[in-house]
Amino acid sequence: MKNITNIAFDADDTLWINETYFQETEAEFCALLADYMSAREVSGELYKTESANNAIYGYGVKGFALSMIETALRVSQNRLEPRLISKIIDMEKSLLQKPVVLLDGVREVLEKLGGRYRLVVATKGDISSQERKLEESGLLGYFHHIEIMSYKGEKNYKKLLGHLDCAPENFLMVGNSYKSDIEPVLALGGWGAYVPFHVTWQHEKVENENLSRPRLIVLEKITDILKYL
Ligand SMILES: [Mg+2]
């Protein structure tokens, strides 16, 4: 890894806690619809709605809220009480304002790598909500560039590399999602450091991840990266 010059970090569940808040909200949502279906069934329905909507809404809290409302209407066969829609909107607003809790070791890693590499953030989600979290995280000063993408695929990583004027072999992406942080970067010829978070969003799950690939390292915690760099 001696040729690495640029390191990009995913944000949600790599720098700070995120999925935990979504799962709490989903549990609340399921409880709201308990008169119509079991929690498991509501979760399944929400998953279906989100899968159909991700391409239209992109990723983030607002799209998630619209998918909750759509699911609630379908599950209740349009008999949902309007106050429950208000409740879902309240849940969305509260999700948008959750405190930013950094994961262990993040600040130490950025502090140690900061002077020696060019550090960037590569994340997806609602722009306003990701900007708020970055602002509140107190980490902005470590980063040379922030890239908020609608979708994390090869095309957008290629664009980021172009913007950074960085060859793939000099680029390392650190993230908790194999599907959106690691796979596309490896495919372009870059490096990946996969740091799984204890919960994974269902849409980011991959069957049979191939963890022994060239230019891929798997870390138990983010500070382990310091052993390599
Ligand atoms: Mg993530």
Side-chain angles (χ1 to χ4, degrees), residues 10 12 14 176 181:
D10 165 57
D12 292 336
T14 297
N176 73 299
D181 299 322

Side-chain angles (χ1 to χ4, degrees), residues 45-217:
E45 287 302 316
L46 178 61
Y47 179 76
K48 266 194 257 169
T49 316
E50 285 188 281
S51 302
N53 287 346
N54 280 340
I56 311 170
Y57 295 149
Y59 296 84
V61 175
K62 293 171 204 162
F64 178 61
L66 288 170
S67 290
M68 283 196 286
I69 293 172
E70 184 180 330
T71 305
L73 289 168
R74 188 171 70 242
V75 162
S76 69
Q77 293 173 309
N78 293 322
R79 292 192 307 254
L80 189 74
E81 291 173 58
R83 68 169 181 91
L84 294 186
I85 296 185
S86 302
K87 183 86 185 84
I88 294 171
I89 293 170
D90 289 344
M91 282 156 54
E92 170 193 21
K93 287 185 182 163
S94 128
L95 195 49
L96 283 167
Q97 293 169 73
K98 290 283 182 199
V100 178
V101 178
L102 296 186
L103 290 169
D104 286 344
V106 162
R107 195 176 283 280
E108 179 194 345
V109 166
L110 298 175
E111 189 69 48
K112 291 198 169 141
L113 299 180
R116 299 158 46 217
Y117 299 89
R118 188 157 67 163
L119 307 184
V120 306
V121 173
T123 179
K124 66 182 176 193
D126 294 322
I127 289 197
S128 55
S129 119
Q130 294 301 47
E131 280 178 346
R132 182 211 39 114
K133 288 193 267 184
L134 275 158
E135 200 69 54
E136 262 178 47
S137 71
L139 300 177
L140 268 177
Y142 291 108
F143 300 109
H144 165 84
H145 174 73
I146 310 290
E147 185 87 4
I148 304 174
M149 314 173 181
S150 59
Y151 174 74
K152 280 176 142 178
E154 281 181 49
K155 196 176 119 202
N156 285 334
Y157 280 108
K158 212 170 173 175
K159 214 170 87 187
L160 172 63
L161 288 172
H163 177 84
L164 295 170
D165 201 11
C166 175
E169 59 269 29
N170 306 132
F171 181 78
L172 167 68
M173 176 72 198
V174 183
N176 73 299
S177 164
Y178 189 81
K179 189 167 151 186
S180 49
D181 299 322
I182 304 302
E183 212 151 44
V185 174
L186 293 180
L188 287 172
W191 293 76
Y194 177 40
V195 202
F197 187 59
H198 61 91
V199 279
T200 304
W201 191 30
Q202 214 179 336
H203 297 269
E204 299 284 7
K205 283 189 180 151
V206 212
E207 302 285 319
N208 308 317
E209 297 161 354
N210 177 4
L211 296 181
S212 49
R213 295 179 57 174
R215 304 186 312 282
L216 168 64
I217 55 171

